[in-house]
């Protein structure tokens, strides 16, 4: 929930403390478009993906995630 909320507000360029009653129709529709896009992407992939494909290519893999676990090994969770 909070990941989606933060990313939707960021993509719509809205401050998290801005009251919803002060949004213009254009700002609301922009926010709504990002809500639908991100939630549908999460449903399709079964994962919370908030980084767009173009941004992911530009940014590269996060540290520690570029290596795949060896076959037969169990990946440990970060501490």
């Amino acid at each position: 929930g909070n990941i989606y909320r933060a990313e939707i507000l960021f993509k719509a360029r809205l401050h998290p403390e801005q009251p919803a009653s002060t949004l213009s129709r254009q700002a609301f529709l922009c926010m709504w478009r990002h809500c639908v896009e991100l939630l549908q992407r999460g449903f399709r992939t079964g994962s919370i993906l908030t980084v767009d494909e173009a941004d992911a290519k530009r940014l590269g893999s996060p540290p520690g995630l570029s290596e795949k676990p060896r076959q037969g090994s169990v990946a440990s969770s970060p501490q």
Side-chain angles (χ1 to χ4, degrees), residues 1-16 30-39 41 48-53 55-56 58-59:
N2 279 339
I3 292 172
Y4 282 117
R5 176 195 51 82
E7 191 64 19
I8 289 164
L9 292 174
F10 176 78
K11 286 177 169 287
R13 301 189 189 292
L14 295 171
H15 193 280
C30 178
M31 182 184 66
W32 183 258
R33 181 174 50 86
H34 290 297
C35 287
V36 171
E37 176 187 307
L38 289 175
L39 292 171
R41 184 188 304 171
I48 298 174
L49 298 173
T50 59
V51 178
D52 295 325
E53 189 175 333
D55 288 337
R58 183 176 55 81
L59 296 170

